[in-house]
Amino acid sequence: MNRKILCTAAMLAAFAALTPRTTGAQNPGTLFIQNATVLTVTHGNIEHGSILIRDGKIAAVGADLKAPEGAAVIDATGQFVMPGIIDCHSHIAVDGSVNEAGPAVSSMANIADVLNPDDIDIYRDLAGGVTAANVLHGSANPIGGQTVVIKLRWGKPAADLPFQGALPGIKFALGENPKHSNFPSPPGVTPRYPGTRLGVEEVIRQAFIEAREYKKQWDDYDQRKSAGEQNLIPPRRDVRLDPLVEVMEGKRYVHAHCYRADEILMLIRVANEFGFKVRTFQHVLEGYKIADEIAASGAGGSTFSDWWAYKMEASDAIAYNAALMAERGVIVSVNSDDAQEARQLNQEAAKTMKYGGLSANDALKMITLNPAIQLGIDARAGSIDVGKDADLAIYNHDPLSVYAVVQKTLIDGQVYFDRDRDLAQRSKLAAEKQSLLDKEKKAAAEKKAEDKKSGENSEKKPDKKPSQKKKPSQDASGTAIDNVSATITTTTIGGAR
């Protein structure tokens, strides 16, 4: 490996270090946050409130608490503490593409297997107060890959990212994306089935017909085995159908990408046919048209605040969608679907106050308690209550204000983002980066000089004696043939044939 490659590798390592990792000093057994406005979400706001955290859990919340002896103290005077933001639709921390788009049913693919703990978007989203995210497969397939809920534990290995105890999910998709309206096949390539909306429905139905029969085979086998029958041969394992059986058994959540009202109703009917529930309709931009039906099905809606008109099936979206669905009884969250958007989900939630007249507390629920309910983690996250995980975001202003900036983000009582520490390290890291760049330039200059010197030494003086060349061969007619030229000519012609 030459010097340039070594220096480049060192630079990449430095860039990975441009954001601070967690430190032991920031992870005490007992932590006390004092003098803050505490936005509990479930039982109102507490002025001049405090939060006692022990071993990563919220131990006490109130206005009259005192810091225990030996506790680490965060003075949040004039600041606001809210539950950590939960993003119900994210694609961060994935190594490679989020789509396994080859087959129409890619339920065997699992996002949990390709989590990338070094994705810088984890740290950037922490800087926006996000503490948990539902990391989804893409929407290229009617039935996509398996999903995973993670905590944004920046600096931890991939194995430490999943939210322990959270049920796994699977991504479904309806509409333009799975039928490849916007991604036509290249000329000469047979388009993948399905190519229509009704084809998308039938792919989902057929997959569950197969899964139902597969489940019956295993149920029969298990029943006969438990009855003591000997020498049984188990059914052949199908990793494509296993996740769909889990869906029918209520062990895996369905998160369905969708836009149009007719397709949302279609999937509700298919779910009823096979006895499962859609946990969330994602995007669900026409949800306001059929909010009663969505609420009756038990599904939640995870939507954008005000994105629309970026493709045909998004043309009927309105900014009042979240509020209108919530008024009809749907559990609604506001999501990002974008790493940059996730950094300002507090402001996205605030838009529901303007477009729909929701209260400040109901707006906060859209990014805290409601997504926690949708992901089945509300017993541990989504509000500031005793016994829940200490996943918190501390802002310098009311989180629903455009002036609000995150000061600290905590997960399990550990500070994973500290704005003051981040700012303090920037000059040091900038100097380190410049030093590495200087080393790279120096190494490149030395390499150039070495190459030039090697070139000069390799030049030979003209030989005084005439060079003895091999006599060219002749063909039958006595004509000399240049073997090299003949070979080159033959190769060139053959390559163009």
Side-chain angles (χ1 to χ4, degrees), residues 14 59 94 113 123 257 314 324 351 353:
V94 176
D113 293 336
Y123 183 78
H257 163 113
L324 290 174
K351 293 175 183 177
M353 299 170 67

Side-chain angles (χ1 to χ4, degrees), residues 351-401:
K351 293 175 183 177
T352 62
M353 299 170 67
K354 177 177 176 60
Y355 300 107
L358 295 187
S359 68
N361 199 64
D362 285 340
L364 281 179
K365 284 183 179 180
M366 296 277 181
I367 53 173
T368 55
L369 186 58
N370 288 1
I373 294 172
Q374 291 174 341
L375 299 175
I377 58 175
D378 50 302
R380 291 179 50 192
S383 64
I384 301 178
D385 286 297
V386 173
K388 287 194 174 186
D389 296 355
D391 299 346
L392 308 167
I394 304 177
Y395 286 82
N396 60 345
H397 293 286
D398 187 314
L400 298 175
S401 165

